[in-house]
Amino acid sequence: MRLFVAVVPPEDALRELEQAARGLRGLPGADELRWTERAGWHLTLAFLGEVPEALLPELGERLDRAARRHEPYDLGLAGAGRFGDRTLWAGLTGGDLRRLAGSAGAAARKAGVEITAEHGFHAHLTLARQRPHGRIPLRPFADELSDFAGTPWTADAITLVRSHAPTPGMPGAQPRYEALRTCPLGR
């Protein structure tokens, strides 16, 4: 199973971001980017990769324990940025999720999950990706959304999510995400 741990913003916050980002699709080159669907928007804390199903019970218990050690976070979706010209993202204001991300990763490792690809953590919500060999500059897209400031909300849980690969051979197909377990923060 391909898994990750995430904070999933509430529908109101996602709706605000969707509305603010709507104009991005009219910018030059927008049709050449791979846009993520709102149904899959989340803030990844730890990417776990392929995890044997047998590890799920212990992984869930360890994530529950890790989540209880963190109080809820007051957050807001705000602004935008990019990772080079590869990925366009919406940013975050409020609490620093680095410790929570570290706890999620540590819980997974203690449960026996081999996390092979760890990068420096940067809280973000991916809006679009460059297609392979794409050359669309993403700075105008990030600049267009730079003044966005969504209504603050409280993140009170982390979610263990299974990622189902998109249907092969279907242009524009997106991965489908399935919440496997929700772990309340601070309880």
Side-chain angles (χ1 to χ4, degrees):
M1 304 174 122
R2 192 172 175 87
L3 303 178
F4 61 90
V5 181
V7 169
V8 180
E11 278 302 310
D12 289 348
L14 297 178
R15 198 173 8 263
E16 282 182 337
L17 177 59
E18 180 182 45
Q19 211 151 18
R22 190 168 283 141
L24 298 178
R25 293 186 185 236
L27 294 176
D31 56 339
E32 295 180 44
L33 299 173
R34 290 183 309 145
W35 293 91
T36 59
E37 295 178 355
R38 186 177 117 185
W41 285 354
H42 60 272
L43 303 157
T44 301
L45 297 173
F47 178 72
L48 308 182
E50 293 295 331
V51 176
E53 193 168 343
L55 295 182
L56 281 181
E58 184 167 354
L59 175 60
E61 288 174 27
R62 290 194 177 272
L63 287 172
D64 277 337
R65 276 186 255 159
R68 283 194 298 268
R69 289 193 297 268
H70 295 266
E71 291 302 314
Y73 289 78
D74 292 325
L75 305 172
L77 295 171
R82 58 198 175 93
F83 297 129
D85 279 328
R86 296 179 326 274
T87 305
L88 173 69
W89 47 262
L92 199 63
T93 61
D96 183 353
L97 296 179
R98 255 185 282 255
R99 282 188 51 245
L100 184 58
S103 292
R109 282 189 293 280
K110 288 177 185 172
V113 176
E114 292 182 34
I115 301 175
T116 55
E118 287 191 90
H119 303 91
F121 179 76
H122 182 329
H124 68 282
L125 186 152
T126 300
L127 295 172
R129 290 184 181 87
Q130 192 77 250
R131 292 186 188 278
H133 311 294
R135 300 198 188 293
I136 305 302
L138 296 181
R139 180 181 298 272
F141 294 88
D143 289 349
E144 186 74 20
L145 201 55
S146 65
D147 292 335
F148 169 69
T151 304
W153 48 278
T154 301
D156 59 2
I158 60 175
T159 304
L160 178 62
V161 181
R162 181 177 184 180
S163 176
H164 296 273
T167 306
M170 289 192 60
Q174 299 270 328
R176 185 177 55 81
Y177 300 125
E178 173 188 3
L180 298 181
R181 186 180 192 116
T182 299
C183 308
L185 296 176
R187 294 183 234 150

